[in-house]
Amino acid sequence: MVTFKLKEENDQQLVYWYFPHGNEENGHGTIVIDRVLGKLDVTELAPDDRLVRHTVENQNRWRKAVNQMRNIEQIPELTDEEWPEATEDRISTVFADHAIQKIVEAYNNGEILEEGVETWNI
């Protein structure tokens, strides 16, 4: 679970603080949406968050495993559009990425979230 709060809003940017496990006492990370350039960045990783490297090999291993399960279930394999074969390592975060997904989904629908919670199953 991750919670987030909008801390700054102007014509140029939106600044969110996010809190892994909703625990504000442990500090926050910062997510900035540049409204002019149309880009987003985690400018500060929360103390309780961490980066995860997904190697090309691991990403493609997961893709192959999903396709094997789909074959067993007699479902068509994933297309390159659904899950392209990896050509480079990817970096993600444990918590910020979940907050980003919810913030961006609302933003793309014309809504600026003041605060929110995102939960997921692991």
Side-chain angles (χ1 to χ4, degrees):
M1 155 192 176
V2 63
T3 60
F4 56 87
K5 294 181 182 181
L6 180 63
K7 288 298 186 176
E8 181 183 333
E9 176 183 359
N10 58 49
D11 291 341
Q12 285 77 37
Q13 67 181 10
L14 302 172
V15 178
Y16 285 91
W17 286 2
Y18 77 96
F19 308 92
H21 304 293
N23 189 347
E24 296 185 23
E25 297 81 35
N26 285 358
H28 68 275
T30 306
I31 299 165
V32 177
I33 297 175
D34 185 320
R35 299 171 89 177
V36 176
L37 297 177
K39 60 183 250 186
L40 181 146
D41 195 19
V42 177
T43 59
E44 179 182 3
L45 198 63
D48 292 341
D49 204 354
R50 73 181 203 282
L51 297 174
V52 179
R53 177 180 297 280
H54 306 276
T55 65
V56 168
E57 295 78 16
N58 196 36
Q59 292 176 69
N60 288 332
R61 190 176 315 120
W62 277 104
R63 184 180 190 275
K64 182 178 178 181
V66 168
N67 277 332
Q68 287 173 339
M69 289 188 295
R70 290 173 71 108
N71 285 333
I72 291 168
E73 297 293 325
Q74 298 180 342
I75 300 171
E77 288 189 0
L78 294 163
T79 65
D80 284 336
E81 291 78 32
E82 291 172 311
W83 188 339
E85 196 162 317
T87 58
E88 59 186 37
D89 290 357
R90 189 174 64 82
I91 303 294
S92 69
T93 64
V94 175
F95 292 93
D97 286 3
H98 291 282
I100 289 166
Q101 183 177 357
K102 188 156 190 167
I103 291 165
V104 168
E105 183 179 323
Y107 185 80
N108 287 341
N109 288 323
E111 181 183 2
I112 295 174
L113 298 175
E114 296 287 327
E115 61 184 16
V117 176
E118 183 64 12
T119 60
W120 62 94
N121 295 323
I122 33 179

